[in-house]
Amino acid sequence: MSEKVVHLHKSTEPAAEPVIVTTLTVVPEPAPAAPVPLWIRSGRAVKTVVTHETTKTTARAVARHTLYVAGGARIAAKRTWDGRTASRYERMFRAAEAAGNHEMASEWEERGQHFREARHRRRMDLLHSPVDAAKGVAVGAGMGIGSLIALGVVMAVATKDVTHVVTPLMATVEFINLLISIVQVVWGPALAIGPFLALLALWAVGSKQQAAPAWALPDNVRSSEGEPITPSIVVKAMRDLGVPALRNAIKEMGDAGASMLGPIRIAGCGVEVDVSLPSGVATNEVQGKRRKLAENLTRHEHEVFITIPEAARTVRLWIADSGALDEPIGPSPLVTDTTVTANYKTGKAPWGQDLRGDAAELSLYQRHLLITGRSNQGKTAALRSLALWLALDPSVQFWIADLKGVGDWSMFNGIADVLIEGPSDGHVIQATEMVEDAEREMNRRIQERLADPHVKFPPLIVNVDEAQKAFMCPSVDEQRRPYGGSKATSRYFMAVRSIHNQGRAVDVLMWQGTQDPTDQNLPKMVREGAHTRASLVLGSESQAKMALGDKAVEDGAAPHMLRQGLDKGTLVVASDGIDMPTGQSSITVRTHFIDDEPAMEIADRARALRDGVTTLHAVERGEDRDPLADIFTVVGDAERSHTQDILKRLGIFDEDAYGDWSFIDLKRVLESAGVEPYKSHGRMVVRRDDVARALADRDTDGSASASQ
């Protein structure tokens, strides 16, 4: 019984007597829902049963064991065929011939000929065997009966009973009759059980060889651990790539594709094999099937690398042991060995390990450097580890701009001549002016080289981390020239381009670290100017080509295939400064990670090798300067400094005031203050104490004059 809702409404019309009018509104009951048809409920139940995990497991088990029998029959038939024909010898002969091993090919051909001769003799013997068998049976039967009768005669003589003459013969007849009775009893059940025993034998062969598709195998067999890489697995994986020309060529090969493969070599935490492709199959067709090839090899996509070696129409596969790339590599030699030293010209920085497990060492001599990748993937750590190694060579100078500004490069205080740290446009402007100062230093060195071809210069590393901020900076100077951008008036872009063009010749080198390369934040002319280009994980193939160049990516470099967050510190490197297999244009390196605390310890060792470097933390402009005080500032804690270094640091400190200074200007200021530069080892130097004494005397004289 449902309730009825009654609504009461008062009338608003005036009346002589107040009358209340009520209206009853009955709300109808909702109609009952239509029943679900039986066939729909049955269909849902069937779907639940069919898609249940138990049903899937049972169906897979039934299919697996059925296919074991079919696979066992196929294997048994192949073994029988190989045993009764010369196909095995033909297959091995063709494989040896394809591999160019003519001696082995001749040996297999000879073995095959011996097999055919022996088979011919057996077949000829079969033509005479029925007659020989009949003769043998007749002779054997006669000799057997005669022996039995002779035995009976002996028994009769011994027992003096003539009936014993036939006793052995009758016993033999009764034994044969017993055997016939046993066969009659067993024959029927044997005929019934025989087929089942044959099926069981075939199932055992198929089960042992796992002769069933991967989807039907049990979970422990289909686990992600992967299986050892063998020639048959590689050939099958190539055959099933979905390239028709490759599949047909393998089917037509007498050796089932074995001649395609070179030796499978152990290479670090995996194996390496060269695959010679048949005519009509291009290397890029295989490269484009990387994921499918990895899955055919029971590996993940990131565990298979396809590169193009020097040999024509050949791909080189590097296949990792399952899960091996997720294991960390060891610490850097810079951390474990405190005696490690660096040499800018002849040494190589210990950067990490390649996929083969060999040490990956990079030469930095006269090479501009570019490292790019997505944020928080190890770009700064990879760049900093190179700088820490090079800092152990005291002849190398550093000008560093860290446009992230969170202290990643703070350990270079006291090592770098310039260290700018901060993310603002003001810091970008300072970084731009630092690079322009490096350009001027480069031009000065070039002029000195023209005057004296034998003059040597200390290496100068101009390092800008997060350089994309410089290219994207919207600020402009007083002449309306932009600091960022990639136009002919863009200050940072033009300074970097100039250093890329000529800096290498006088050891002024540009290092840059950037994020997510595009044409806007990493112009083509800048990225193409780097001799060493390295990339962490990227988002697309087009970005990979920006980072490494078209050639490296077309030859198999694939930073866009690395895994975000899982492959931190893994770089794809294109450079002639790192050893790589002949014919390859890139190599994958898993870099050593050096944390902040060990980085500080390495920096302390580098500082101990240097003679008190004063680090400037800002490039100051447009102020009234006190030249003598500024000289004292740039000299820093060093006991003495070369006049050439003082001029260079003054130019960095304030380009407007000191950018055009020469040695004559410096000497004038020093001599007016009573400081005399002098020669040491053929170079003019200035003592710090002399400058400090001159400042103190000047301040004392100024105070005395003021008091008078």
Side-chain angles (χ1 to χ4, degrees), residues 10-45:
K10 286 187 177 181
S11 174
T12 57
E13 296 180 1
E17 294 182 1
V19 178
I20 298 176
V21 179
T22 61
T23 304
L24 297 179
T25 303
V26 179
V27 179
E29 297 181 6
V36 179
L38 178 61
W39 65 271
I40 294 180
R41 293 201 301 271
S42 301
R44 290 173 180 172

Side-chain angles (χ1 to χ4, degrees), residues 228-553:
I229 300 301
T230 62
S232 61
I233 288 176
V234 176
V235 171
K236 186 175 183 297
M238 297 294 291
R239 185 195 67 195
D240 296 340
L241 271 184
V243 180
L246 180 59
R247 181 180 63 249
N248 295 335
I250 292 175
K251 287 182 178 179
E252 293 173 1
M253 291 180 184
D255 59 355
S259 59
M260 295 169 51
L261 305 185
I264 296 179
R265 305 175 295 272
I266 295 177
C269 56
V271 296
E272 186 178 72
V273 59
D274 287 351
V275 182
S276 300
L277 301 178
S279 178
V281 182
T283 54
N284 62 344
E285 291 184 88
V286 177
Q287 284 183 305
K289 301 277 188 176
R290 178 182 174 184
R291 173 175 293 182
K292 192 168 187 178
L293 177 60
E295 293 173 351
N296 289 349
L297 294 167
T298 65
R299 296 295 191 272
H300 295 292
E301 185 176 10
H302 71 276
E303 294 175 328
V304 174
F305 289 81
I306 307 172
T307 54
I308 309 300
E310 192 173 22
R313 212 172 65 211
T314 301
V315 292
R316 177 168 293 160
L317 307 181
W318 185 86
I319 307 159
D321 297 336
S322 188
L325 293 183
D326 296 327
E327 299 294 329
I329 64 173
S332 169
L334 296 177
V335 177
T336 59
D337 186 359
T338 58
T339 63
V340 170
T341 58
N343 187 296
Y344 162 74
K345 186 173 183 179
T346 62
K348 290 189 174 183
W351 210 8
Q353 293 180 0
D354 62 20
L355 295 178
R356 296 166 183 80
D358 299 328
E361 298 178 329
L362 180 68
S363 172
L364 303 172
Y365 177 63
Q366 292 188 343
R367 289 179 176 88
H368 301 302
L369 175 66
L370 172 66
I371 299 180
T372 187
R374 284 184 171 176
S375 177
N376 195 32
Q377 297 302 303
K379 168 179 52 63
T380 297
L383 190 61
R384 189 176 68 180
S385 66
L386 296 176
L388 286 170
W389 174 80
L390 196 55
L392 296 175
D393 182 346
S395 68
V396 179
Q397 300 173 348
F398 290 92
W399 295 2
I400 298 174
D402 174 17
L403 299 182
K404 187 187 298 180
V406 295
D408 289 337
W409 295 88
S410 60
M411 68 286 299
F412 278 82
N413 188 32
I415 298 175
D417 294 293
V418 180
L419 179 58
I420 298 168
E421 297 178 286
S424 68
D425 287 347
H427 294 98
V428 171
I429 292 172
Q430 291 185 356
T432 302
E433 293 171 343
M434 178 191 78
V435 176
E436 291 174 335
D437 287 338
E439 181 188 10
R440 278 184 284 273
E441 169 65 13
M442 175 192 72
N443 292 330
R444 182 193 67 78
R445 292 184 178 191
I446 291 174
Q447 294 302 317
E448 286 195 26
R449 177 68 57 82
L450 292 175
D452 181 5
H454 302 291
V455 66
K456 302 294 182 183
F457 303 107
L460 173 60
I461 306 300
V462 184
N463 179 15
V464 180
D465 195 10
E466 305 296 340
Q468 76 278 357
K469 288 181 173 289
F471 287 110
M472 301 299 290
C473 179
S475 300
V476 296
D477 61 13
E478 296 82 359
Q479 287 79 35
R480 307 299 298 171
R481 291 185 305 163
Y483 287 93
S486 57
K487 298 180 180 179
T489 56
S490 301
R491 293 179 59 176
Y492 182 83
F493 168 74
M494 293 303 294
V496 171
R497 180 185 171 191
S498 177
I499 294 174
H500 276 174
N501 288 339
Q502 296 176 293
R504 176 179 176 274
V506 288
D507 292 307
V508 176
L509 303 178
M510 193 75 209
W511 290 11
Q512 296 181 96
T514 69
Q515 287 184 20
D516 274 345
T518 64
D519 286 327
Q520 289 71 40
N521 65 22
L522 189 60
K524 178 179 176 62
M525 296 187 69
V526 170
R527 60 182 186 249
E528 297 290 343
H531 303 99
T532 296
R533 300 166 72 173
S535 176
L536 297 137
V537 57
L538 289 172
S540 65
E541 183 176 336
S542 62
Q543 284 189 316
K545 290 183 176 181
M546 290 182 188
L548 301 176
D550 292 354
K551 168 68 174 172
V553 175

Side-chain angles (χ1 to χ4, degrees), residues 164-196:
H164 285 174
V165 173
V166 294
T167 299
L169 186 60
M170 295 305 296
T172 302
V173 171
E174 290 177 358
F175 177 72
I176 294 173
N177 186 49
L178 176 62
L179 291 179
I180 293 173
S181 300
I182 293 174
V183 170
Q184 288 176 341
V185 173
V186 174
W187 184 253
L191 287 178
I193 299 175
F196 295 102

Side-chain angles (χ1 to χ4, degrees), residues 554-575:
E554 289 170 0
D555 286 351
H560 53 291
M561 294 293 185
L562 297 174
R563 299 167 297 167
Q564 175 87 10
L566 298 177
D567 289 324
K568 281 189 176 182
T570 299
L571 287 163
V572 182
V573 184
S575 172

